[in-house]
Structure formats: structure tokens, C-alpha cells
Amino acid sequence: MERATYNEARVSSGGWVHLFVTVYDVDTYFVLDGQGEDCNGQDWLEEFSMAVSRRLGTLVEVMLQIGEDFDWPEMDGAGIIIR
């Protein structure tokens, strides 16, 4: 979360709370978006959403937004990131 910015929260008509978080680099995006798993085999976004839901007593969905200066990495033809 150090490399991301919390923007806002909205309550939908169904009672869901949507938290909007902006990411600025691809590594942070992949970790927060579930592309990277923690040592328990769960992704951060799912764990964080469940923890906040329990704390608030309502369903919470964390939604990622791409920051203004986000730089997608170069990919090869097979979709592999070139570093």
C-alpha cells in the first residue's frame, strides 16, 4: 500500500462499499490485483477486501485504478514482461 494511493469510497445501491485505490507501477498492480500470491496462497486484494468487510460489517470491494503516470512494461510476443 505504500506504493498506492487511496482515492475514495462509494456505496452502491446494493449496499456494497467500493474502495478505489490508484497504483502507479506494474509491480504494485500485479501484487495488489492478485497476480502475486502471499505465503498462504491468497492474493492481497481478496484478503484486504475480506478484512475490511469484517471490520465494517458490510461487503467491501477494493477496486484498482491506473495512475496518470503508469508505465506498462514492454512485452514480448508471448505476453512475457521484458525487464
Side-chain angles (χ1 to χ4, degrees), residues 1 3 9-11 23 29-30 33 35-36 39 41 44 46 48-49 51-52 59 61 63 65 71-72 80-82:
M1 282 302 290
R3 299 183 320 207
R10 292 185 210 154
V11 178
V23 293
Y29 175 81
F30 283 141
D33 193 37
Q35 303 296 322
C39 60
W44 180 90
E46 181 180 307
F48 186 71
S49 294
V52 174
L59 295 173
E61 180 180 18
M63 303 179 78
Q65 298 174 320
D71 188 20
W72 283 103
I80 306 285
I81 295 174
I82 300 171

Side-chain angles (χ1 to χ4, degrees), residues 13-49:
S13 60
W16 280 74
V17 174
H18 300 280
L19 297 178
F20 293 90
V21 174
T22 301
V23 293
Y24 301 95
D25 64 90
V26 71
D27 291 329
T28 303
Y29 175 81
F30 283 141
V31 169
L32 298 184
D33 193 37
Q35 303 296 322
E37 294 180 344
D38 69 12
C39 60
N40 298 319
Q42 295 182 357
D43 66 71
W44 180 90
L45 198 59
E46 181 180 307
E47 273 190 36
F48 186 71
S49 294

